[in-house]
Amino acid sequence: MWRGEHEAFSVLKAKVDPDAQYVWFHAASLGEFEQGRPLMERLRLKHPEYKILLTFFSPSGYEVRKNYEGADIICYLPLDTVVNARRFLRLVRPVTAFFIKYEFWYNYFHILRHRNVPVYSVSSIFRPEQVFFRWYGREYARVLRCVSHFYVQNEESKRLLSDLGIDKATVVGDTRFDRVVQIKEAAKQLPIAESFSRGHRVFVAGSSWPPDEDVFIDYFNQHKEWRLIIAPHVIGEDHLRQICSKLKMRTVMYTETTPEEAAGADCLIINCFGLLSSIYQYGEVAYVGGGFGVGIHNVLEAAVWDMPVVFGPNNMRFQEARGLIDSGGGFEIDGDDTFRELMDRFSSDGQLLKSVSEKAGSFVKGQVGATESILHSVGLG
């Protein structure tokens, strides 16, 4: 990251077209990039006259998407000093800037405002415990007044901004809903997973960690009427061996099997990256990991396939998970007992499973449209 920030100026000097008009998108990391991606791709489609600059703060975003074809220039954003901000903006001279979710860069924002460049905060979400709303953070909260308009995820965020005297905010929801619909439409057909799942009830565990696996593996060791697909968050030899040591069923690794072999297995382990969003289409019930650790991963990629999503207790900070629960398509479990009770209900009551599956899919479909709303509002629709 340190090296990338210092190289950013060289990248800009080499690649910026002085005659082009740049729309700037900034994402902290990969998750924020996925929220900004529908905006970039829609803008590219509707307004090819603009070029797109994409910046990242974190290597976990830049390293994964540094070759993304939807942007003309991709680099790190140098640290938020007055000198860096002035130098950066002299090189790029953006006509508009979009900052995703939590990104509020004090010096960049003030200089952008001084230059009369519109700055939009998209898919942003605010909570009372954030520094802006504490007595000691009111000075820093001045950065929020540099934003031309906030496109927030919920009414609470709009209310909190209003408490600071900021009324340029519109509730449009989260662009991630638009993104997961795009992902679903581009899903790959996977012959191995298709052969494995054909004629069977399949449970898909995505982005799982060891505490998650301790909960669901024990259940499926005892209930062979289900087949199990595990796509662990960490794909390393030690973790894969650990998973296999817990399984008491015929197990195959995705990269080491064939459709014919997979058809006779009880568990399919996805030991490679990039397939999870497509794997969900082969399931009947999904589990999304992380809820017994730092927080759950993306529940929407599963719910968009019209199936209930199960996850652990650390989900309070994830609005999409709470919304999924409220809709009747998401289910929080806190351990072996609640997981067993839930799965027993799904196994014995087909009508219940059908009902909650429809609710999960409807929840996602009912939230799409933020991308179009934002671009239309800023005059780029």
Side-chain angles (χ1 to χ4, degrees):
M1 183 173 69
W2 179 87
R3 184 171 60 251
E5 287 173 358
H6 283 75
E7 291 174 350
F9 294 115
S10 298
V11 171
L12 294 175
K13 285 180 180 179
K15 293 188 175 183
V16 166
D17 179 351
D19 297 322
Q21 291 186 304
Y22 284 91
V23 177
W24 175 20
F25 288 85
H26 176 70
S29 189
L30 189 58
E32 289 78 11
F33 164 80
E34 290 296 329
Q35 289 176 292
R37 184 170 179 170
L39 289 163
M40 287 184 275
E41 294 182 353
R42 194 67 178 166
L43 179 66
R44 174 80 86 187
L45 180 66
K46 287 195 166 189
H47 294 278
E49 68 272 22
Y50 292 112
K51 290 196 173 184
I52 293 175
L53 166 68
L54 170 61
T55 58
F56 287 99
F57 172 72
S58 166
S60 61
Y62 176 80
E63 292 300 329
V64 176
R65 294 301 182 190
K66 60 186 176 183
N67 296 317
Y68 171 58
E69 294 182 353
D72 297 283
I73 303 174
I74 302 173
C75 65
Y76 283 95
L77 182 58
L79 289 177
D80 190 20
T81 66
V82 173
V83 171
N84 281 346
R86 285 176 175 166
R87 187 180 178 192
F88 186 93
L89 293 170
R90 284 194 194 109
L91 286 168
V92 179
R93 300 186 181 279
V95 295
T96 304
F98 292 88
F99 280 67
I100 316 298
K101 201 172 182 177
Y102 295 129
E103 292 297 281
F104 302 101
W105 291 57
Y106 194 90
N107 292 303
Y108 282 94
F109 276 32
H110 277 85
I111 295 172
L112 284 166
R113 185 177 66 171
H114 178 73
R115 295 184 173 205
N116 295 315
V117 177
V119 178
Y120 301 109
S121 176
V122 300
S123 288
S124 42
I125 189 166
F126 295 96
R127 300 182 181 88
E129 63 270 19
Q130 287 173 300
V131 63
F132 310 114
F133 311 108
R134 302 288 191 173
W135 63 267
Y136 51 81
R138 291 303 172 102
E139 179 65 23
Y140 182 71
R142 290 172 55 193
V143 69
L144 301 179
R145 299 188 180 278
C146 297
V147 176
S148 306
H149 203 92
F150 292 88
Y151 295 96
V152 298
Q153 294 189 34
N154 57 27
E155 290 290 345
E156 182 187 33
S157 297
K158 184 178 180 180
R159 179 186 60 77
L160 287 167
L161 289 171
S162 181
D163 289 345
L164 293 178
I166 297 172
D167 297 318
K168 294 179 180 179
T170 304
V171 180
V172 297
D174 191 344
T175 52
R176 276 182 299 179
F177 288 90
D178 301 325
R179 178 62 188 144
V180 295
V181 171
Q182 287 181 336
I183 291 171
K184 180 182 178 181
E185 292 171 350
K188 307 169 187 174
Q189 297 302 306
L190 306 172
I192 289 173
E194 189 172 331
S195 179
F196 174 81
S197 62
R198 188 179 298 122
H200 296 276
R201 310 188 78 177
V202 177
F203 181 94
V204 179
S207 300
S208 64
W209 294 81
D212 303 301
E213 292 146 10
D214 287 339
V215 171
F216 65 75
I217 286 178
D218 183 60
Y219 181 87
F220 294 107
N221 278 334
Q222 303 172 45
H223 293 80
K224 300 298 176 65
E225 69 272 19
W226 288 84
R227 287 193 168 185
L228 175 61
I229 298 179
I230 305 175
H233 184 72
V234 176
I235 299 174
E237 289 301 318
D238 289 344
H239 189 197
L240 295 176
R241 278 196 296 269
Q242 185 182 63
I243 293 172
C244 289
S245 71
K246 299 173 184 178
L247 292 164
K248 298 176 182 177
M249 61 185 79
R250 295 169 296 176
T251 302
V252 292
M253 297 285 178
Y254 185 87
T255 63
E256 300 170 8
T257 192
T258 64
E260 293 73 24
E261 291 175 347
D266 299 307
C267 178
L268 174 63
I269 297 178
I270 311 301
N271 60 333
C272 56
F273 292 108
L275 297 183
L276 179 56
S277 59
S278 296
I279 285 290
Y280 282 125
Q281 68 185 294
Y282 300 103
E284 195 169 345
V285 178
Y287 181 97
V288 173
F292 289 95
V294 295
I296 57 172
H297 297 285
N298 193 337
V299 298
L300 300 179
E301 285 189 352
V304 73
W305 289 102
D306 300 319
M307 61 177 166
V309 186
V310 185
F311 39 82
N314 190 355
N315 60 72
M316 294 302 294
R317 294 183 296 107
F318 300 85
Q319 178 175 284
E320 66 279 10
R322 303 309 300 175
L324 200 54
I325 290 174
D326 292 342
S327 76
F331 299 85
E332 176 186 314
I333 54 104
D334 58 14
D336 297 16
D337 292 340
T338 51
F339 181 76
R340 186 182 308 109
E341 291 170 6
L342 180 63
M343 285 305 303
D344 285 347
R345 288 171 57 204
F346 288 160
S347 297
S348 61
D349 192 339
Q351 193 58 44
L352 169 66
L353 184 54
K354 180 182 178 182
S355 173
V356 297
S357 298
E358 291 172 351
K359 290 175 181 177
S362 296
F363 170 70
V364 177
K365 295 179 182 71
Q367 302 292 322
V368 299
T371 298
E372 282 294 332
S373 296
I374 293 168
L375 291 179
H376 179 77
S377 175
V378 302
L380 294 171

